Amino acid sequence: MEPNTVPPPSGGRGMTALDREAFTQTITVPALRVPTAVLNKVVKSLKKCSIQRPGVPRVVQDKEESGEFRLVLLDPHRVTTAGSFSEAEAEALRSFSVSDELHQYELKLTYDNLKSEEVLEAVLPQGQDVTSGFSRVGHIAHMNLRDHQLPYKNLIGQVIMDKNPGVTCVVNKTNIIDSTYRNFKMEVLAGEENMVAKVRENGVAYEFDFSRVYWNPRLSTEHQRVVQLTKRGDTVFDVFAGVGPFAIPAARGGANVLANDLNPESYRWLQHNCRLNKVEGRVRSFNLDGRAFIRGPLRQELPALLRGAAGVHMVMNLPALALDFLDAFRGLLRGEPPSGRDPPTVHCYGFSKDDDPSTDVVARASRSLGVPLENRCDVHFVRNVAPNKDMLCVRFTLPEEVLYCSEEQTESSEEPAPKRQKCEEST
């Protein structure tokens, strides 16, 4: 964040209910007197040092001269004397015959002219972190406030909504994502309580109730990366599909998709998004435990697919648990004759707090499969989700000695079963 160029309003510190009038003040900023004949060229040359503030014009009327001059307002943090201009800026002023003499201009600022960081810096206790960052999900701004910010939560929510056009609802996460369905409880800090978000990611439209499903806007690049590895005619098994960020783009690209999610709400919105994007004919959706999906629909389809020429991909994006689900593939095709064709490609996600996260996730995947994956897989770093906690994707072809082994799979990590399960096409 740039250093604050505006002093905090008197009496603003500790404010918990937003008083916009308290932020009105007058500051003195430097200005250059510029002939109107070269005004546009000078403004362009001084772009980096001119004032840049919401709702504040960079050019104002010169009250002391005729209409042949205007004042170009400068950033008081960047320009304090004529010597503050860079060599290129000073040369531009000379070439346009503009004096570098600085004039003082009294500028009235209101709440509307302040950035969200400046408002919050003026309000929150000195020495404490100022949070203005959030994840944008359609019209919803999702924040994760720290304990010391909670007394100011409603003010923070109102400021975020005021300063970000299109945001009409600000929510704060009230617990970590540890529920059966990967969603989290949230509190509305400001605005409407409409949680049905409409978003576009990589050209695909999605709709869902953000309070009842899992959606992470920071994974758009990862969704696109994996989908681009699939080809027209391939089959994709999406074991933990959510509302469809892998399944629907893959189907739009010509893949045939079997998509599953335990959460009934995710399952419902997955079907909705298939219809929304007109791919319901290419996506079969299921509402099952991930292990039941692997041992059921996936097991039923796989032998025939492995006799064909098209690729088969299995996406397992449940980073907290997916590596433990890999043992469901042990002996999955026991009794079937080996196909002799390329085995399926697995894209399995996991979190790691280890000093060597890549080695850690490969070792855990190897233990679940019962065979070593070292030198038989690729590990892709996805993102850092918290201090010393990374999200990674392990990609490997499913070894035949796993698929066709005689060992019974263990029941080490089931998702808790919902009250009712469905298994039907997304139509």
Side-chain angles (χ1 to χ4, degrees), residues 216-350:
N216 190 335
R218 295 186 176 95
L219 294 178
S220 61
T221 300
E222 180 62 13
H223 297 152
Q224 185 177 48
R225 183 187 72 85
V226 172
V227 169
Q228 288 176 343
L229 297 174
T230 67
K231 299 177 182 178
R232 179 172 295 276
D234 285 356
T235 296
V236 175
F237 294 95
D238 194 349
V239 184
F240 311 107
V243 300
F246 287 108
I248 292 173
R252 279 167 54 102
N256 300 303
V257 181
L258 285 78
N260 173 73
D261 202 275
L262 176 66
N263 183 351
E265 282 294 309
S266 295
Y267 168 78
R268 183 170 73 86
W269 287 105
L270 169 64
Q271 293 180 310
H272 172 84
N273 289 322
C274 286
R275 293 190 292 269
L276 182 66
N277 289 281
K278 297 179 173 56
V279 294
E280 63 268 32
R282 285 194 171 274
V283 180
R284 282 184 285 164
S285 55
F286 301 83
N287 181 209
L288 298 169
D289 165 73
R291 188 178 300 281
F293 175 71
I294 293 171
R295 306 296 295 186
L298 190 155
R299 164 67 179 85
Q300 294 165 12
E301 299 286 332
L302 193 55
L305 292 172
L306 293 182
R307 290 193 292 270
V312 178
H313 294 262
M314 300 170 181
V315 180
M316 303 177 68
N317 183 24
L318 184 65
L321 290 174
L323 292 170
D324 297 328
F325 275 78
L326 290 173
D327 69 348
F329 292 110
R330 293 186 188 181
L332 188 67
L333 299 185
R334 185 173 55 255
E336 295 279 347
S339 66
R341 294 185 178 273
D342 291 339
T345 300
V346 177
H347 311 264
C348 186
Y349 291 84

Side-chain angles (χ1 to χ4, degrees), residues 28 95 128 156 189-190 198 200 214 217 226 228 276 298 302 305 373:
T28 301
S95 68
Q128 294 189 352
I156 293 173
L189 303 182
K198 299 180 180 181
R200 292 192 70 85
Y214 178 79
V226 172
Q228 288 176 343
L276 182 66
L298 190 155
L302 193 55
L305 292 172
L373 287 179

Side-chain angles (χ1 to χ4, degrees), residues 19 50 65 88 117 137 163 189 192 201 217 263 269 273-274 337 341-342 421 427:
D19 178 6
S50 60
E65 295 287 343
E117 294 91 342
V137 182
K163 300 298 181 180
L189 303 182
E192 59 180 327
E201 180 183 274
N263 183 351
W269 287 105
N273 289 322
C274 286
R341 294 185 178 273
D342 291 339
Q421 294 185 344
T427 55

Side-chain angles (χ1 to χ4, degrees), residues 173-186 210-215 240 261-266 289 317-321 325 351 414-418:
K173 183 171 71 173
T174 58
N175 68 347
I176 62 174
I177 302 173
D178 60 356
S179 67
T180 301
Y181 299 144
R182 286 200 297 172
N183 54 356
F184 48 80
K185 293 181 181 179
M186 59 180 67
F210 184 54
S211 67
R212 304 187 70 180
V213 305
Y214 178 79
W215 179 268
F240 311 107
D261 202 275
L262 176 66
N263 183 351
E265 282 294 309
S266 295
D289 165 73
N317 183 24
L318 184 65
L321 290 174
F325 275 78
F351 292 134
E414 284 193 357
E415 298 173 275

Side-chain angles (χ1 to χ4, degrees), residues 214 216 218-219 319 351-353 381-392:
Y214 178 79
N216 190 335
R218 295 186 176 95
L219 294 178
F351 292 134
S352 178
K353 295 182 178 180
F381 173 82
V382 178
R383 58 185 291 260
N384 179 255
V385 298
N388 302 315
K389 184 179 181 180
D390 293 337
M391 178 179 175
L392 303 101

Side-chain angles (χ1 to χ4, degrees), residues 54-128:
V56 173
R58 284 183 285 179
V59 178
V60 296
Q61 198 76 28
D62 181 6
K63 297 179 181 179
E64 299 181 13
E65 295 287 343
S66 65
E68 297 179 359
F69 290 85
R70 296 288 187 273
L71 291 179
V72 176
L73 304 185
L74 304 174
D75 184 339
H77 175 71
R78 296 179 182 273
V79 180
T80 55
T81 68
S84 301
F85 295 111
S86 69
E87 184 177 335
E89 291 164 346
E91 176 58 32
L93 293 179
R94 288 192 293 270
S95 68
F96 297 128
S97 300
V98 174
S99 171
D100 60 6
E101 179 186 358
L102 296 182
H103 301 264
Q104 302 300 310
Y105 183 82
E106 298 296 309
L107 177 65
K108 181 181 178 181
L109 294 178
T110 68
Y111 171 81
D112 292 336
N113 305 132
L114 301 181
K115 303 170 186 177
S116 57
E117 294 91 342
E118 292 172 326
V119 174
L120 298 180
E121 272 190 4
V123 170
L124 297 181
Q126 285 182 304
Q128 294 189 352

